[in-house]
Amino acid sequence: MKTQNSERVHIGIFGKTNSGKSTLLNYMTGTDTAIVSNIKGTTTDPIKKAMEITDFGPVLFIDTAGVGDDTDLGTARESKTKEILDQCDIFIYSLSIDDDLKFISDIKKTNKPIIYIASKQDIDEGSKIISKYKNLNPIAIDIRNIDDRLKIFDKIKKLYKKDDLTITKDLVREGDMVILVIPQDKAAPKGRLIKPQVMTIRELIDKNATAISCDLTNLENTLKALRDKPDLVICDSQVFKETKEIIEEGTRLTSFSVLFSAYKGDLDYFVKSVKRFDQPINRVLISEACTHPPIDEDIGTVKIPKMLRKKYPNIEVEFNRGTDPIDYKRYDLIINCGACMFNRTTMLSKVEKAKENNIPMTNYGITIAYLKGILDEIELPK
């Protein structure tokens, strides 16, 4: 299975307009991904390119539009560039001879590693950049020398230590038998499973556990066919209560969304925040990582709002997609999807902003379990 971009280490390339960022992206990846020009402002939107770094793993390079652009679109480009900050696990900053370094203060606020690059070593400007910013210990890059890339790769390996995260955490051990209840409603993509289901199955195999998949309508027959009861049942959050009514008393139950709330976000904060439902609520934001056409069975735009309006008839429900900015203080509560299309850094950045604004934030699975009164009866990963 191809590594999805959301599971790659995100490496953002930043710097002033025309500092050589796009050239650096092409050089690092060995491709002509980005258009290179001497005209300032050639790159307008972020450009992404995935690759593998030997002895490190899958990464996603993101070339940004740059800062310090005095053209008519400069403000818009810089805004697009700042949106990428929350997605990055590590930063590469391409220095230019006229750099005022103001934007670096925004990068430092993320508390993530920064690698400074002095490119243009093929022209006189390169040595001047090295001399001017020697206190930053920049890496000198000559695009005529392909081996200079190794300097950056080695620095990435040294500065960034990947977390050894798992989806099922302590809930599954080697030899366990796990049933996955996967409803095939209109939201299910024809001919394939959605990403959280695929990733969970793959992890179960890697853990030497047994994965048995079925639809809700066939769950009872599946259980009867087994000699022993399963060690864990993982269901779609939409069928939490129906699944619980079928499985044997004492069988451990959780959902894909609950697992991903811990894998991608802050489970403790999500569980704490969901209790905001015990108080009056006026306005809620439902935030989804991906975009897709609306359907009448959609969990985010239809089912959860219906559950909310049953409890709070006059509640206002608003929606947010992808990485669009959020006015946190506008809401009493924010409900996120499982965030399978976000990298963990992006999701945790959203959580931190919610905390800074003292706004409760939870996710689909935790919300559904709480509103159906079974949150205390399901398994939460640790």
Side-chain angles (χ1 to χ4, degrees), residues 95-101 125-136 138:
L95 295 161
S96 56
I97 195 64
D98 59 345
D99 207 321
D100 56 19
L101 305 181
E125 188 174 335
S127 59
K128 295 177 182 177
I129 293 172
I130 287 285
S131 177
K132 182 175 181 179
Y133 303 107
K134 59 184 178 181
N135 62 310
L136 297 176

mmCIF file of all heavy atoms in Angstrom, residues 95-101 125-136 138:
data_model
loop_
_atom_site.group_PDB
_atom_site.id
_atom_site.type_symbol
_atom_site.label_atom_id
_atom_site.label_comp_id
_atom_site.label_asym_id
_atom_site.label_seq_id
_atom_site.Cartn_x
_atom_site.Cartn_y
_atom_site.Cartn_z
ATOM 1 N N LEU A 95 17.828 30.910 2.792
ATOM 2 C CA LEU A 95 18.268 32.279 3.041
ATOM 3 C C LEU A 95 18.527 33.034 1.733
ATOM 4 O O LEU A 95 18.936 32.442 0.733
ATOM 5 C CB LEU A 95 19.538 32.280 3.884
ATOM 6 C CG LEU A 95 19.395 31.721 5.308
ATOM 7 C CD1 LEU A 95 20.755 31.338 5.869
ATOM 8 C CD2 LEU A 95 18.705 32.747 6.211
ATOM 9 N N SER A 96 18.284 34.335 1.765
ATOM 10 C CA SER A 96 18.625 35.193 0.634
ATOM 11 C C SER A 96 19.466 36.360 1.146
ATOM 12 O O SER A 96 19.419 36.698 2.333
ATOM 13 C CB SER A 96 17.361 35.696 -0.071
ATOM 14 O OG SER A 96 16.507 36.357 0.833
ATOM 15 N N ILE A 97 20.207 36.982 0.265
ATOM 16 C CA ILE A 97 21.161 38.004 0.693
ATOM 17 C C ILE A 97 20.473 39.213 1.310
ATOM 18 O O ILE A 97 21.031 39.895 2.173
ATOM 19 C CB ILE A 97 22.051 38.445 -0.499
ATOM 20 C CG1 ILE A 97 23.261 39.223 -0.012
ATOM 21 C CG2 ILE A 97 21.246 39.206 -1.519
ATOM 22 C CD1 ILE A 97 24.213 38.412 0.865
ATOM 23 N N ASP A 98 19.214 39.476 0.915
ATOM 24 C CA ASP A 98 18.487 40.637 1.450
ATOM 25 C C ASP A 98 17.445 40.230 2.484
ATOM 26 O O ASP A 98 16.496 40.978 2.745
ATOM 27 C CB ASP A 98 17.819 41.420 0.316
ATOM 28 C CG ASP A 98 16.836 40.568 -0.480
ATOM 29 O OD1 ASP A 98 16.888 39.325 -0.349
ATOM 30 O OD2 ASP A 98 16.026 41.143 -1.237
ATOM 31 N N ASP A 99 17.617 39.072 3.093
ATOM 32 C CA ASP A 99 16.641 38.542 4.040
ATOM 33 C C ASP A 99 16.665 39.333 5.344
ATOM 34 O O ASP A 99 17.731 39.592 5.909
ATOM 35 C CB ASP A 99 16.957 37.070 4.338
ATOM 36 C CG ASP A 99 15.724 36.270 4.738
ATOM 37 O OD1 ASP A 99 14.886 36.821 5.464
ATOM 38 O OD2 ASP A 99 15.615 35.118 4.307
ATOM 39 N N ASP A 100 15.471 39.715 5.830
ATOM 40 C CA ASP A 100 15.398 40.411 7.122
ATOM 41 C C ASP A 100 15.088 39.444 8.270
ATOM 42 O O ASP A 100 15.032 39.862 9.437
ATOM 43 C CB ASP A 100 14.357 41.530 7.080
ATOM 44 C CG ASP A 100 12.968 41.039 6.681
ATOM 45 O OD1 ASP A 100 12.706 39.822 6.783
ATOM 46 O OD2 ASP A 100 12.147 41.871 6.260
ATOM 47 N N LEU A 101 14.839 38.175 7.943
ATOM 48 C CA LEU A 101 14.628 37.092 8.921
ATOM 49 C C LEU A 101 13.387 37.288 9.794
ATOM 50 O O LEU A 101 13.210 36.578 10.777
ATOM 51 C CB LEU A 101 15.860 36.910 9.825
ATOM 52 C CG LEU A 101 17.200 36.678 9.124
ATOM 53 C CD1 LEU A 101 18.300 36.486 10.170
ATOM 54 C CD2 LEU A 101 17.142 35.483 8.200
ATOM 55 N N GLU A 125 26.628 35.039 -5.123
ATOM 56 C CA GLU A 125 25.697 35.356 -4.045
ATOM 57 C C GLU A 125 25.732 34.313 -2.935
ATOM 58 O O GLU A 125 25.531 34.625 -1.764
ATOM 59 C CB GLU A 125 24.276 35.469 -4.607
ATOM 60 C CG GLU A 125 23.264 35.988 -3.593
ATOM 61 C CD GLU A 125 21.897 36.220 -4.217
ATOM 62 O OE1 GLU A 125 21.827 36.437 -5.440
ATOM 63 O OE2 GLU A 125 20.910 36.191 -3.461
ATOM 64 N N GLY A 126 26.009 33.055 -3.307
ATOM 65 C CA GLY A 126 26.017 31.974 -2.327
ATOM 66 C C GLY A 126 27.018 32.191 -1.211
ATOM 67 O O GLY A 126 26.699 32.029 -0.024
ATOM 68 N N SER A 127 28.257 32.578 -1.546
ATOM 69 C CA SER A 127 29.288 32.789 -0.529
ATOM 70 C C SER A 127 28.965 34.001 0.339
ATOM 71 O O SER A 127 29.272 34.027 1.535
ATOM 72 C CB SER A 127 30.657 32.978 -1.201
ATOM 73 O OG SER A 127 30.626 34.089 -2.090
ATOM 74 N N LYS A 128 28.308 34.986 -0.241
ATOM 75 C CA LYS A 128 27.907 36.171 0.538
ATOM 76 C C LYS A 128 26.839 35.802 1.570
ATOM 77 O O LYS A 128 26.840 36.334 2.684
ATOM 78 C CB LYS A 128 27.398 37.262 -0.406
ATOM 79 C CG LYS A 128 28.462 37.819 -1.337
ATOM 80 C CD LYS A 128 27.867 38.848 -2.292
ATOM 81 C CE LYS A 128 28.926 39.379 -3.255
ATOM 82 N NZ LYS A 128 28.342 40.336 -4.238
ATOM 83 N N ILE A 129 25.923 34.915 1.190
ATOM 84 C CA ILE A 129 24.886 34.468 2.121
ATOM 85 C C ILE A 129 25.515 33.716 3.289
ATOM 86 O O ILE A 129 25.143 33.929 4.448
ATOM 87 C CB ILE A 129 23.857 33.569 1.391
ATOM 88 C CG1 ILE A 129 23.062 34.393 0.372
ATOM 89 C CG2 ILE A 129 22.907 32.908 2.381
ATOM 90 C CD1 ILE A 129 22.163 33.568 -0.515
ATOM 91 N N ILE A 130 26.484 32.856 2.988
ATOM 92 C CA ILE A 130 27.186 32.106 4.041
ATOM 93 C C ILE A 130 27.845 33.063 5.018
ATOM 94 O O ILE A 130 27.758 32.908 6.249
ATOM 95 C CB ILE A 130 28.253 31.174 3.419
ATOM 96 C CG1 ILE A 130 27.591 29.981 2.737
ATOM 97 C CG2 ILE A 130 29.234 30.687 4.486
ATOM 98 C CD1 ILE A 130 27.057 28.934 3.684
ATOM 99 N N SER A 131 28.491 34.072 4.509
ATOM 100 C CA SER A 131 29.214 35.032 5.350
ATOM 101 C C SER A 131 28.257 35.867 6.204
ATOM 102 O O SER A 131 28.499 36.074 7.398
ATOM 103 C CB SER A 131 30.061 35.946 4.459
ATOM 104 O OG SER A 131 30.717 36.932 5.235
ATOM 105 N N LYS A 132 27.154 36.300 5.596
ATOM 106 C CA LYS A 132 26.234 37.192 6.308
ATOM 107 C C LYS A 132 25.489 36.479 7.437
ATOM 108 O O LYS A 132 25.243 37.069 8.493
ATOM 109 C CB LYS A 132 25.222 37.783 5.311
ATOM 110 C CG LYS A 132 24.251 38.779 5.955
ATOM 111 C CD LYS A 132 23.358 39.437 4.912
ATOM 112 C CE LYS A 132 22.417 40.435 5.568
ATOM 113 N NZ LYS A 132 21.537 41.127 4.577
ATOM 114 N N TYR A 133 25.157 35.189 7.228
ATOM 115 C CA TYR A 133 24.329 34.468 8.205
ATOM 116 C C TYR A 133 25.093 33.314 8.853
ATOM 117 O O TYR A 133 24.508 32.292 9.208
ATOM 118 C CB TYR A 133 23.057 33.949 7.535
ATOM 119 C CG TYR A 133 22.230 35.022 6.877
ATOM 120 C CD1 TYR A 133 22.190 35.140 5.491
ATOM 121 C CD2 TYR A 133 21.516 35.944 7.642
ATOM 122 C CE1 TYR A 133 21.439 36.139 4.882
ATOM 123 C CE2 TYR A 133 20.774 36.947 7.042
ATOM 124 C CZ TYR A 133 20.739 37.039 5.654
ATOM 125 O OH TYR A 133 20.006 38.037 5.059
ATOM 126 N N LYS A 134 26.388 33.483 9.045
ATOM 127 C CA LYS A 134 27.203 32.397 9.587
ATOM 128 C C LYS A 134 26.761 31.986 10.993
ATOM 129 O O LYS A 134 26.969 30.851 11.417
ATOM 130 C CB LYS A 134 28.681 32.785 9.588
ATOM 131 C CG LYS A 134 29.015 34.035 10.388
ATOM 132 C CD LYS A 134 30.496 34.382 10.223
ATOM 133 C CE LYS A 134 30.841 35.685 10.981
ATOM 134 N NZ LYS A 134 32.295 36.037 10.788
ATOM 135 N N ASN A 135 26.124 32.908 11.729
ATOM 136 C CA ASN A 135 25.647 32.573 13.077
ATOM 137 C C ASN A 135 24.509 31.548 13.057
ATOM 138 O O ASN A 135 24.229 30.900 14.073
ATOM 139 C CB ASN A 135 25.173 33.835 13.802
ATOM 140 C CG ASN A 135 24.007 34.508 13.106
ATOM 141 O OD1 ASN A 135 24.069 34.752 11.899
ATOM 142 N ND2 ASN A 135 22.957 34.821 13.848
ATOM 143 N N LEU A 136 23.860 31.371 11.904
ATOM 144 C CA LEU A 136 22.774 30.390 11.769
ATOM 145 C C LEU A 136 23.291 29.024 11.319
ATOM 146 O O LEU A 136 22.513 28.076 11.225
ATOM 147 C CB LEU A 136 21.729 30.896 10.765
ATOM 148 C CG LEU A 136 21.002 32.196 11.145
ATOM 149 C CD1 LEU A 136 20.073 32.623 10.021
ATOM 150 C CD2 LEU A 136 20.225 32.025 12.439
ATOM 151 N N PRO A 138 24.302 27.871 8.324
ATOM 152 C CA PRO A 138 23.561 27.342 7.176
ATOM 153 C C PRO A 138 24.343 26.256 6.436
ATOM 154 O O PRO A 138 25.572 26.220 6.481
ATOM 155 C CB PRO A 138 23.374 28.583 6.296
ATOM 156 C CG PRO A 138 24.537 29.461 6.621
ATOM 157 C CD PRO A 138 24.780 29.255 8.095
#
